Structures are given as C-alpha cells and as structure tokens.
Amino acid sequence: MLVILNIGELVVIPKGPVCGREMRNVRRIQNAAIVVDGGQISWFGRATDVLIPPGSDVLDAGGGCVLPGLIDCHTHGVFAGTRENEFVQRIEGKSYADIAREGGGIRVTVDAVRAATLEQLIALALPRLSRMLHNGVTSLEIKSGYGLSVDDEFKMLESVRRLREFQPIELVGTYLSAHAVPREFDGHTDEYLGRMLDDPVLSRIRDGRLAEFCDVFCETTAFNIEQSRRVLLKAKQFGLLPKIHADQITQMGASRLAAEGGAISADHLEKIDDGGIAALKAVGTIAVLLPACSFFLGVEQAPARKIIEADVPVAIATDYNPGSSMVESLPLTMTIACTQMRMTPIEVVVAATANAAAAIGRQDRIGAIDIGMQADLIVLDVPSVERWMYEPGRNCLRTVLKRGKVVVDSSG
Amino acid sequence: MLVILNIGELVVIPKGPVCGREMRNVRRIQNAAIVVDGGQISWFGRATDVLIPPGSDVLDAGGGCVLPGLIDCHTHGVFAGTRENEFVQRIEGKSYADIAREGGGIRVTVDAVRAATLEQLIALALPRLSRMLHNGVTSLEIKSGYGLSVDDEFKMLESVRRLREFQPIELVGTYLSAHAVPREFDGHTDEYLGRMLDDPVLSRIRDGRLAEFCDVFCETTAFNIEQSRRVLLKAKQFGLLPKIHADQITQMGASRLAAEGGAISADHLEKIDDGGIAALKAVGTIAVLLPACSFFLGVEQAPARKIIEADVPVAIATDYNPGSSMVESLPLTMTIACTQMRMTPIEVVVAATANAAAAIGRQDRIGAIDIGMQADLIVLDVPSVERWMYEPGRNCLRTVLKRGKVVVDSSG
C-alpha cells in the first residue's frame, strides 16, 4: 500500500464525460491524502482524516497539486522522418495544396514509415513517449495511418503493441488506414478502401487486439462522407469503435456523420457548425479539440466555448504528428487551449483527463479521482492547476504514478 | 583553448542590427568547427580546415546545430508573488480595467515586491534564471518597476547586480520607475516622476552602475507622451539610454516619441501604425516584439512582417512577468513568433541574438558568430534552427557556453 501525504490541493476530477458548467464545478480538497491499494485508489480525503495502514510506503507530494494522470487521446505518435521544411514553407505563405504539389505533405511521412523497420519505428517512438511521460501523460492513443498498405499499417499497429513492453504509458491503438489515399491508388479511392477494409484484415486487427478504434479523415482532400460512412460501419462490424477527423478544413457534415455512426469521438472541429454541435450533443459523442494543431498551423481554433456551452463533452489532445502538430507536450497544448480558446484551467484539466478517458472508452477506470479508479496520478510542483496553466513552457511535474507505482520522480 | 568539433550546422549570425531580407540571408556552414581562445571566438569554419592547437580542450557538438547564446532583451524577471487568478479572470472575460478595479493588476506585484527583502527577491529569481540558462539564454535584461518608491526601486536594481554573483547569465539592468503610478501618488503623476527622476536618484544609479537603460510605459493607463518624454530626456542626461514600452494597447504616438528621443529600442508595438514604423526606421531604433505576451493575453500580435519589410531591425523577447507574460522560455516565445507572426525560424533566431544584442547595446560583443566575438554559444540536439522551431515545447538544448566555458551540459 502507498499513502500520498502533503497534497496541497487534490483535484477531485469526476468520471467522464463531464459537460458544460460541470467542467468548472470540480471539488478541490486542500491538505489532502490518498491511499493506494493494489494499484487503485482505496481512499482519499483530508490529510487529517487519513489512517495510514501499517507497513505502507509514503510519498510526500511536497504541498503540490495532485490530479489524475493526463490522457492524450488523439496522436499520431508513431512515425519516421520530420517535415520542418513544410513548417517554413507555410510561414512563407505556401498553401497546403502548394506544399502537396511540391511533393510535401503526408506522403513524405508515408514514404519514411514504409522505409522503416518495425524496430526503427519503436526506437523512434520511445524517446517521445519518455518525454510525454515526463510531461504527465499516463495513457496515450496512437493511430496508424502512415503505412497505407496492409503490411505497413500492421507494422504501425504492431509497433504500438510492442511499445507497451518498453515503457509504462498505457497505449491505445487506432486503425486509421483511411488517413489518405496512397500514391499507388491515386484516383481509386474505393478500391483502396476495399483493400484496407477487407474481412481478413479487420479480423486480424480484432483477433490480435491491435486496435480498439477505427478512424477516418473525412475531408475534401481525403475521404468524402459516403466513403467515411463505409469505413466506420464496416470497422464497427469487427468491433472497432468509430472515431472521425471531422470539420477540420471544410464543413461537409462530418460531425453529423459522427453522430449518425455512433462515433465515440469527433476530432478537430475547427469548422463545426450549429447543426454539427447539436448532432454530437444528441448522441453524446466526445468533441476532441486539438489546439496545438491550430497553433502550429497558425489557423483559427475550434469554437470551444460554443461547444462547451452546448453541453457537448470536450476533450483536448495534442494531435502530435510531424505535419500539422509537432507538439508532444500535452501541458503546453492545454495552455494553448486556455489562452487561445478561452477555456479555464480547470476545464482543460477535465478535458485532458475525464473527457479524454471517455474519448478512448476508459472513463470507468482512468481519468478521475474516485474509490476504485486506477491510481494513475500526477503530482505538480505548484499548488493549483491554475498556477500550472499560468506558466506556459515550464515543466511543473514533480512525480508521475502509473497504477500506483512511481514512474517519474523529479522531486530530488 | 577550446575546440568545438562535430558541429552539424554552424549558423553564422552577423553582427546586429540586421534588417529586412538580410534576416533570412544568414550563412550556414555544414560540418563546422569553432576555436575559442580567451573566452572569444578565435576561428570558425569547416571542420576539415581546423588546426587543433596542442593542449586544447575538445567539445563534441554531437552533429548538432551551433549558434550564439540567446539574448532575452526585455524582461521583468525580478518579482515576487504570482497572479494566476487574473489569468483565469481574463479567460472568463474580465477586462484589464475590471481586474484593476477588483484590486488586481500591477499593484499586486508592487505590494509583493515591497514586502520582499533583497535576499528574497534574489532567491526567487535564481531558479528562474537557472531555467532560462537551460533554455539557452546567456544574456538577459531585467527591469525594475515593481518597487515604485526610491528605496524599492533600488532594492530591485541591487538584486539584479547581486544576481551576477550567483549564476553565469550576463545581466543588464533597466530603470523602469515609470512603469505605473503607485497608489500613494494617485492623481499626482508629475510629483511621482519628480521624485523618481530627482538628480541624486539618477546620479546614484549612474555612479553605482545599477542600470544602463531607462524605460517608460507610455500608455493611457500609465504615462502620457509628455510625461514619457520627460522621463527619457532626464534619464539620458545621466547616461541612461532610453527604451520605451510603446503602442501596446493604444496608438498614442509612442513610437514617434521613441524616434524623437533616440531610444535604443521601442518595445511591444502591437498597435504600431505606418507613421510609427517610418519613424523607427529613420533613426534605427530596434523594434522589440513580445509574442509571448500577446499569446498569454490572447490578443493580437504586433505586425512583425510589416515591420521587417520596412527594414526596421526586429528583436524578440519574452517580456517575462507575472501579469501579462508568465513565459520564461525564449525558445517557446520564438516558436510563437514563427506560428503566430509568420516569422521564419532563421528570422526569429536573428531576432533573439544579433538584434536582441543591439537592443541592449552589446552588438559588438555578443549575439553573432565572428572572430573576436565573445564565445557565448549554444549547441542544439537537432541539426538546424528550422528543426528546433518546428518542435514547440521540447527543450532541444544540448550544451550552453558562456565566455567559452560550458555552463550547461545535457549531452550525457
């Protein structure tokens, strides 16, 4: 058993999804303690009330703030190669279309991933995951989608599976073969989808537990509404729950498709409209907003306030990827949400814990402080989440625990 | 002597000020080496051409990019207390005026600084300076302006002087008693200025070398044009070179005053107009832009592209302070300039080295790579400045050298 003492403020995040004003009504306990037993929270409350079981280990929180481990619920964290040249071209005024015409864009990463071995993909991802852990991330979704052939997509999903052996972050795989149409299928989108959604392919993903979700990039430059519907419905038959890249650049009804298809989350939403918001609300789909992506691209943010005020549960994720969001820090992403989307610190913390857990179907186990919840916890070196978000660019993590075990300790 | 080998790319920043298209025309040497003698650069060039003097120490740059140490030329880095409550109030929609009415704003920090001892101010600043050093900052300007009484302003300037004893960053003091009118002088701005610009006060600053510059916050809520002119002209008589907080919230002609008064820099400039840009251009005043401040406040950025295209030399600084820019990371600030102001990575690097040096009158000694320049150098763990700026929120610093001595080494 482990007892965490000297907690300046315990942020009692409720189980997700959390909507609307409830995102701000989070209980805080000053001078708190937590008891962890068997990797789960077995007690929490005021430090003056704690009973320390004999033989317990004790962790000193140093007066810092304690909250659930962060959950990054939308990333493309397995990739090879970098695309800083496109970053510069965009600043110089080139459009996405110009960059693609000149041989840039996602296909550059696809070529690099196809050329990489499984072991190389793992070796490239490990230091990223280590830095994410040091930023407080204890659970992480990673999508495929840079392979775009059956073998290369399996290589990506297999790398996610194997990465679990080497580091403590809990990893969640998502099958995103419908990320783009690869060069060799130019003009043959439906044939490409047929290949990637073939029964043996989806059976192998299901049987090997290589992914829990299936995602599709619904956009004029990728897959249209009809194709996106086909992807989500077919994958669902094989137990892969739908996610969708929706309303990022073009408003083409993707949020409505998310609702119609019972998607667990609709992600991006920079261009969502009132009908899309109402559709998500009606079925309880999580709106996953990606403020680091808009920051990185220098474009408009999703209308977070409007979505929250419509009582749609909002999650925040990094969208970490080499093209449009080379931002691996979820705390920085959360601060961007504060300053650029006008979300309050407690709202972004709920969005990156309870609601992010709901976006990956784990709200009953992680992302909240409650008896029986998994003891994925972070200890900050500051006394409140407000103080944390107020210091962009400084790592305020003191200690990170995964299933009750200390996996990062910077307190020394 | 010290020889730095295995430099993947040496960014040969020229001496500041650097203007217009010259900010992009920076020479890069691949596979480079540098020889340091007596704390200065005595040779640099291609590694194949280096002559390693017998008995030299050797530093391996690990194939990383090498450039001059960063210079943060506008900060309020000595302060006490934090103001995260205002950060939240702003997100909730409160105006600057509302916050001030409710007892917030600069006076909160003034009360905290007045209540702090000299030793407390030093102890609070030291960990900040340590983190700045780890972010690659080797020279730093710090303003007074939270004391707002003769004794408390001297306490602040004295803390800057004393901080030199404890850490390696070169510190530059600026006298900013004209930051705000303190409570006890409400409605008596001219009397306040008379007190703070009294001959014995300015003589003591000059004789004790407590500041090199005098700054004024020219704004409707602080000091008007006439009062600002008075501050700058009087301080100049005592050898304090003028700087000015100009055109931040209101366009009231402050950039023109900067030019008229021969200011070394005009800082902020979010609301600068064409006449102001022309005025700065005419006299060569450095435009110090503060992108982290606009990011932190969630307001419009200064028109960086317009200013650069008018051939005004542009510097970038953090504006680190507890009210409007709790961002201590100059690299993050530089990335904000890339994504939110459309400055290219090489432009922001010039802005945070050569032009920042010019903004504190040190362009002949620091901020550039040339024979005889002080060996303030940083080694990145990435191969180019483009790659560095493309990874917001990740610390890419490998090694930091001040006057040729290694002061940070993360290469192990």
Side-chain angles (χ1 to χ4, degrees), chain B residues 196-214:
Chain B
M196 304 308 284
L197 300 172
D198 204 12
D199 285 9
V201 172
L202 294 175
S203 302
R204 191 173 148 203
I205 292 172
R206 178 193 58 200
D207 298 345
R209 297 171 174 241
L210 288 171
E212 295 170 51
F213 303 99
C214 178

Side-chain angles (χ1 to χ4, degrees), chain A residues 57-109:
Chain A
D57 291 323
V58 170
L59 177 73
D60 183 348
C65 178
V66 170
L67 61 153
L70 300 181
I71 299 165
D72 197 344
C73 66
H74 179 136
T75 86
H76 307 255
V78 166
F79 61 86
T82 56
R83 284 154 56 193
E84 58 269 35
N85 56 333
E86 295 175 29
F87 178 74
V88 177
Q89 288 169 346
R90 253 192 319 270
I91 292 169
E92 289 172 344
K94 285 207 176 136
S95 70
Y96 187 85
D98 290 342
I99 291 170
R101 244 193 311 277
E102 292 171 25
I106 189 173
R107 286 176 174 180
V108 174
T109 303

Side-chain angles (χ1 to χ4, degrees), chain B residues 336-356:
Chain B
I336 294 171
C338 289
T339 63
Q340 311 301 302
M341 290 176 154
R342 303 270 157 201
M343 288 177 67
T344 64
I346 190 67
E347 284 177 337
V348 298
V349 165
V350 170
T353 55
N355 287 355

Side-chain angles (χ1 to χ4, degrees), chain A residues 82-84 88 90-91 131 295-298 322 326 328 339-340 342-343 386-387 389-390 392 394, chain B residues 82-84 88 90-91 131 295-298 322 326 328 339-340 342-343 386-387 390 392 394:
Chain A
T82 56
R83 284 154 56 193
E84 58 269 35
V88 177
R90 253 192 319 270
I91 292 169
R131 294 190 299 261
F295 170 80
F296 188 84
L297 297 176
M326 194 69 174
E328 63 189 18
T339 63
Q340 311 300 302
R342 304 269 157 202
M343 288 177 68
E386 285 72 21
R387 176 72 174 278
M389 291 295 104
Y390 160 78
R394 180 166 91 73
Chain B
T82 55
R83 283 154 57 193
E84 58 269 34
V88 177
R90 253 192 318 271
I91 290 168
R131 293 190 299 260
F295 169 81
F296 189 84
L297 296 176
M326 194 69 174
E328 63 189 18
T339 63
Q340 311 301 302
R342 303 270 157 201
M343 288 177 67
E386 285 72 21
R387 177 72 175 277
Y390 159 79
R394 180 166 90 74

